[in-house]
Amino acid sequence: MTATNYYEIDRRVFPRTFGNSPLKFVSMQILEKIYRDWTLTIQPFLLLLTLITVVTPCLAQDGCYSRLNKDTLTIGNQFIERKFIWNKGNIVTYSLSDKMGQRVWFNRNKKPDFSVQADEVARNANYQLCSRKADPVKVATQETIVSFSIGSLDVKRIYRITAQSPSIACETYLKGKMEGMTGTQSVNAADQKNIEFAEDMRVNGSAAVLDQLKLDGYHWQGKAVEFFDVTDWNNNLVQENKFIPYRKRTHRGNLLFVHNQEKESGFFFLKEAPSSSVQLAYGGQDFTTEFGHFAVNGLGLSARDILTDDWRKAYTVVLGVYSGQEIDQLQALRSYQKTIRKNEPQRDEMVMMNTWGDRSQDAKVNERFSLLELEAAAKLGITHFQIDDGWQQGKSPNSALAKGSFKNIWDNPNYWKPDTSKYPNGLDPIVKKGKALGIEICLWFNPSIQQDYADWEKDASAMVKLYRMYGIRTFKIDGLSIPNKQSEINLGKMFNKVLSETENQAVFNLDATAGRRGGYHLFTEYGNIFLENRYTDWQNYYPYWTLRNLWQLSKYVPPEKLQIEFLNKWRNADKYGNDPFAPSKYAFDYLFASTMAAQPLAWFEGTGLPKEALKLGTLVAKYKKVQHDFHQGVILPIGEEPSGRSWTGFQSLQKDRGYLIVFRENTADGIGMLETWLPENVKIQLKPLLGKGKSMIQATGRKGSIKVELPAKNDFVMYSYTILR
């Protein structure tokens, strides 16, 4: 047992003799001394243990705790507590408590929370407790490790809890052999090629239970939320399914919200997995409901994925509680999501420019072009300039200059070195000029896909070398395909190696446009999500479409973790004809503003803009002053869904203050009444920061509605607000 940043109590050392002592805590140092000093007789040792009620308070942060007292395991913090019946390690939830709402739910299910095969008696039960210190990426976390065996299968469940959230996450690991589990996968858009292949664009689990609760009452209301990525093919990214639980029914999605109408409280399950349509070993369902019985299904593992000599991780499930209404459940969810990866202003906030949006592909990419792009980027206020495909010696299939390939990348050991014909001086001149202009240089990268990313170490080393040579730490990760568990594991190893060897400074822009990828809830600890390819060349860029996708996602996914594009509205204006929603119908400032709730992505060549476009730099400079504080809040959609003719926007909530972004789309109504997440009948002070709004004090109406006036169609305003008490 150590006294460093990793603490562990092993039930094989401290057996189940924890008595009913009035003592609440025992010093860790005392336990360590007893453990080391085996000169004590076993009788005094056991006698001392009978005085212990709680073993090892949480060492990750104040307020977290985990204890195994006789047959009861308890895990909690100041917001949530979950009690389990030990059941020889194959634990069964006894109760779930929302401490802030003073609500306790009792589980009526007598079966274990985790069920993967025919019931067998558990054995080899083990309990461990450890804490993980905070680092530049993750907050401090307490981990309760429960392991056991059933038949020839070994199971390890790690319950993670932090001080910041009313939620407990559970990771499940399996090893050994599992009988009788099947899973099916069907062909879908994720298996088709990406948008770069125009001709191809014309072609059109298992019932395993990861967690469950069975609660009293009939007045439950459910909402399953399914997400869609593969955005080269999808432009409707969120689907909500509201229902009253009745007879047994299955649901798809990553989120299940459960609300009790009698108690005005409830809970949520978050399944940290890819979108349902691209999950591994998918059995066609994510949740099962029947009256008050709610279960999370689908391991993301098939029987053949489970090995006898190595732990294999199933999809993680997060259980969170809340009391109140929809705003309370959404804030409970977001409080967990914000613990996954810290949002560091100097590392994670960005206004990025990537030139691929103008469809030159890699034809223009070279030293001179990059230097000129940096000059234009500086005038626009860009913080990050990303050189997409074409900077490297290897040629990809998307190259406009050569018919390249992603197969057997490492047959060419120089694949991920700067192209000497394009960058004869390497990337040094680009990085040097970027630093002089205050712009960080970023790169595109496509991991080597063959043999389930067997070359992940080489890929990681290539990125680490670029970091050490040039200080480049932000990489757009493209071309991913995760058809099986080994691919997922190796990609995780690649990301972790790069993080470790860059002092946790690496940021990955994870492309979600095609293929079987992580979606919105897997790999989110590694950076942000490059959401979609949209091009004026093909008339699939409409500003309100992009705003709608961001608006819908922002309810369930932190928008500050999404890269959202705005394009050069002057390119290809003739291709849109008289379309009232064409990009050219909007001010350039408006296009940028539509991305501000996310990480703005200038998806164009700066050197291709007219001079009038460079005036955008004034707005960007003002935005950067509030960007981080705005993103620190819980950002949720307000008003109507963007339709091209709506009053819509976003709200960032921070206790009694926050921000509002309001958009008047192409509607004749000069005054908009927008429902917000503000309380009803409170006075708020609104101060305009960006756009054309006026300062005012007003009282909120029903559903927190506010009145906003904007002088013109397709206009916007960003306010800071304060609730006046």
Side-chain angles (χ1 to χ4, degrees):
M1 186 178 297
T2 65
T4 59
N5 67 336
Y6 184 93
Y7 289 80
E8 182 178 293
I9 297 290
D10 194 321
R11 290 286 293 164
R12 291 169 294 184
V13 176
F14 298 99
R16 296 179 65 226
T17 55
F18 304 91
N20 296 317
S21 163
L23 292 180
K24 197 168 184 181
F25 297 103
V26 170
S27 163
M28 194 67 199
Q29 288 74 21
I30 292 175
L31 289 175
E32 290 176 354
K33 188 177 189 310
I34 294 171
Y35 182 74
R36 291 193 302 265
D37 189 359
W38 288 101
T39 60
L40 291 173
T41 66
I42 192 65
Q43 283 76 21
F45 175 70
L46 294 178
L47 182 61
L48 175 62
L49 286 177
T50 61
L51 299 175
I52 301 173
T53 298
V54 178
V55 174
T56 313
C58 172
L59 298 161
Q61 61 279 315
D62 293 338
C64 292
Y65 53 88
S66 173
R67 56 181 176 262
L68 179 56
N69 182 20
K70 292 186 177 179
D71 68 344
T72 303
L73 170 64
T74 307
I75 301 172
N77 61 17
Q78 62 178 317
F79 303 111
I80 184 174
E81 181 177 275
R82 192 173 184 181
K83 286 186 178 180
F84 306 86
I85 299 170
W86 181 242
N87 191 35
K88 299 181 179 180
N90 197 5
I91 57 181
V92 182
T93 294
Y94 173 74
S95 64
L96 176 66
S97 299
D98 173 9
K99 291 185 174 182
M100 304 305 288
Q102 298 182 332
R103 180 73 57 201
V104 181
W105 306 100
F106 292 97
N107 184 32
R108 301 309 181 191
N109 190 27
K110 304 304 179 185
K111 295 181 179 180
D113 298 340
F114 174 75
S115 174
V116 74
Q117 59 186 33
D119 290 343
E120 295 188 53
V121 177
R123 65 185 193 283
N124 301 329
N126 186 44
Y127 166 83
Q128 297 174 320
L129 176 64
C130 70
S131 65
R132 307 292 181 183
K133 284 185 176 179
D135 62 33
V137 171
K138 297 181 180 179
V139 301
T141 307
Q142 177 189 273
E143 296 181 355
T144 299
I145 306 170
V146 177
S147 57
F148 60 94
S149 300
I150 46 174
S152 56
L153 182 68
D154 295 329
V155 181
K156 179 168 62 176
R157 307 262 280 170
I158 301 177
Y159 293 85
R160 292 187 285 106
I161 189 168
T162 69
Q164 295 89 342
S165 173
S167 62
I168 302 173
C170 180
E171 301 174 359
T172 300
Y173 297 82
L174 302 177
K175 183 171 67 172
K177 186 177 181 181
M178 182 164 55
E179 303 292 344
M181 188 184 82
T182 60
T184 59
Q185 291 173 280
S186 58
V187 176
N188 55 66
D191 296 318
Q192 297 169 323
K193 293 180 182 179
N194 65 26
I195 203 169
E196 298 300 331
F197 296 84
E199 64 276 14
D200 290 292
M201 293 293 288
R202 303 189 190 99
V203 181
N204 286 337
S206 170
V209 176
L210 280 165
D211 205 352
Q212 59 183 317
L213 290 171
K214 187 176 183 180
L215 308 177
D216 286 332
Y218 287 90
H219 301 290
W220 296 98
Q221 291 193 343
K223 180 170 65 175
V225 186
E226 184 176 2
F227 299 85
F228 301 87
D229 52 355
V230 195
T231 57
D232 280 354
W233 290 83
N234 292 317
N235 200 38
N236 297 281
L237 309 183
V238 180
Q239 182 172 304
E240 298 176 343
N241 173 30
K242 296 181 180 180
F243 59 93
I244 293 177
Y246 190 55
R247 301 296 180 185
K248 193 168 186 177
R249 183 181 173 189
T250 62
H251 310 270
R252 292 163 61 100
N254 291 88
L255 274 167
L256 178 67
F257 293 102
V258 181
H259 183 78
N260 186 277
Q261 289 290 86
E262 291 180 286
K263 310 298 184 183
E264 290 293 334
S265 58
F267 62 92
F268 67 83
F269 280 125
L270 166 64
K271 185 177 179 183
E272 293 191 319
S275 300
S276 301
S277 57
V278 298
Q279 285 180 30
L280 300 178
Y282 192 59
Q285 65 198 58
D286 297 286
F287 307 106
T288 305
T289 62
E290 186 175 16
F291 296 105
H293 191 180
F294 308 93
V296 185
N297 306 121
L299 300 176
L301 289 167
S302 64
R304 64 179 175 272
D305 290 323
I306 300 170
L307 307 180
T308 58
D309 57 352
D310 188 30
W311 289 108
R312 287 296 176 91
K313 183 176 180 293
Y315 292 138
T316 297
V317 175
V318 183
L319 172 62
V321 297
Y322 71 93
S323 290
Q325 297 300 318
E326 186 178 29
I327 178 60
D328 302 289
Q329 67 178 210
L330 294 176
Q331 287 183 309
L333 170 66
R334 193 61 53 84
S335 70
Y336 168 76
Q337 292 171 320
K338 282 182 172 289
T339 68
I340 296 173
R341 178 184 173 91
K342 293 179 181 177
N343 187 26
E344 296 291 340
Q346 301 305 315
R347 182 191 62 197
D348 297 296
E349 299 287 8
M350 55 189 67
V351 178
M352 179 180 284
M353 187 169 82
N354 181 309
T355 64
W356 195 269
D358 277 6
R359 300 300 306 155
S360 295
Q361 297 169 276
D362 60 345
K364 290 185 179 180
V365 172
N366 59 35
E367 180 180 298
R368 182 176 181 276
F369 174 73
S370 299
L371 292 173
L372 291 173
E373 284 293 298
L374 282 171
E375 291 178 4
K379 294 175 183 177
L380 291 168
I382 299 296
T383 63
H384 292 65
F385 174 63
Q386 189 167 67
I387 309 175
D388 211 292
D389 186 1
W391 66 270
Q392 76 283 6
Q393 290 190 29
K395 300 300 179 190
S396 84
N398 298 325
S399 173
L401 303 175
K403 193 66 177 178
S405 172
F406 288 140
K407 293 182 179 179
N408 303 313
I409 280 177
W410 287 106
D411 286 351
N412 176 5
N414 297 320
Y415 195 104
W416 292 115
K417 293 180 181 178
D419 188 326
T420 53
S421 63
K422 294 182 175 185
Y423 296 93
N425 303 300
L427 297 178
D428 284 308
I430 315 303
V431 172
K432 183 178 179 181
K433 182 154 190 172
K435 286 182 178 178
L437 296 172
I439 300 174
E440 186 171 326
I441 305 303
C442 315
L443 295 175
W444 171 91
F445 194 91
N446 195 114
S448 45
I449 196 171
Q450 66 274 2
Q451 297 178 324
D452 304 326
Y453 300 95
D455 288 325
W456 66 267
E457 288 184 276
K458 294 179 182 178
D459 292 335
S461 295
M463 286 184 275
V464 170
K465 187 173 182 180
L466 290 162
Y467 172 76
R468 291 174 179 167
M469 287 184 66
Y470 303 112
I472 292 171
R473 60 177 176 173
T474 302
F475 298 91
K476 179 184 176 184
I477 302 297
D478 205 353
L480 295 187
S481 177
I482 310 176
N484 55 48
K485 196 65 183 181
Q486 190 60 57
S487 295
E488 181 185 296
I489 291 169
N490 287 342
L491 281 170
K493 289 179 178 178
M494 181 192 75
F495 292 135
N496 287 329
K497 180 178 172 66
V498 177
L499 276 178
S500 175
E501 297 192 20
T502 60
E503 297 79 39
N504 287 309
Q505 290 303 302
V507 180
F508 299 103
N509 314 127
L510 300 173
D511 187 291
T513 63
R516 292 183 176 271
R517 301 180 184 177
Y520 307 101
H521 305 285
L522 187 71
F523 294 148
T524 53
E525 66 268 38
Y526 298 121
N528 56 36
I529 297 170
F530 177 97
L531 185 64
E532 58 191 18
N533 294 309
R534 296 293 183 263
Y535 302 104
T536 57
D537 306 71
W538 302 337
Q539 302 93 64
N540 70 342
Y541 173 61
Y542 284 97
Y544 85 86
W545 284 6
T546 294
L547 182 61
R548 176 177 178 265
N549 285 340
L550 175 59
W551 191 91
Q552 290 186 329
L553 283 168
S554 68
K555 194 172 184 179
Y556 307 112
V557 177
E560 67 271 17
K561 302 299 183 184
L562 302 171
Q563 285 190 299
I564 300 296
E565 80 287 355
F566 68 106
L567 274 65
N568 178 347
K569 75 189 190 82
W570 294 275
R571 283 189 74 245
N572 300 309
D574 58 314
K575 292 186 177 182
Y576 286 84
N578 294 321
D579 192 323
F581 303 110
S584 61
K585 303 293 185 180
Y586 298 81
F588 204 39
D589 279 10
Y590 182 98
L591 299 186
F592 173 78
S594 69
T595 73
M596 293 192 305
Q599 300 295 337
L601 175 66
W603 189 231
F604 52 69
E605 297 170 12
T607 52
L609 293 171
K611 287 185 178 180
E612 64 180 292
L614 302 181
K615 297 177 183 178
L616 178 66
T618 301
L619 174 62
V620 175
K622 293 178 181 178
Y623 167 72
K624 289 189 295 187
K625 292 179 180 179
V626 298
Q627 180 181 23
H628 182 62
D629 191 52
F630 174 64
H631 285 160
Q632 287 297 92
V634 173
I635 302 174
L636 297 172
I638 61 171
E640 303 167 306
E641 178 182 299
S643 65
R645 298 193 184 278
S646 303
W647 278 87
T648 187
F650 302 92
Q651 179 178 354
S652 173
L653 296 89
Q654 299 187 33
K655 294 184 180 179
D656 286 347
R657 71 177 188 92
Y659 299 88
L660 295 163
I661 304 178
V662 176
F663 298 93
R664 174 189 172 183
E665 295 189 302
N666 187 4
T667 172
D669 298 327
I671 297 176
M673 293 294 297
L674 294 90
E675 292 180 0
T676 73
W677 302 100
L678 290 162
E680 295 183 357
N681 301 316
V682 298
K683 279 190 176 182
I684 58 168
Q685 184 175 39
L686 294 164
K687 294 182 179 180
L689 302 176
L690 307 172
K692 300 175 183 177
K694 299 178 181 179
S695 295
M696 55 183 167
I697 294 175
Q698 64 173 277
T700 59
R702 185 175 181 272
K703 295 187 177 181
S705 60
I706 60 170
K707 183 169 67 174
V708 178
E709 182 176 357
L710 286 171
K713 297 178 181 179
N714 295 330
D715 207 352
F716 79 97
V717 60
M718 181 181 190
Y719 287 109
S720 66
Y721 74 82
T722 305
I723 298 176
L724 302 176
R725 299 293 185 184

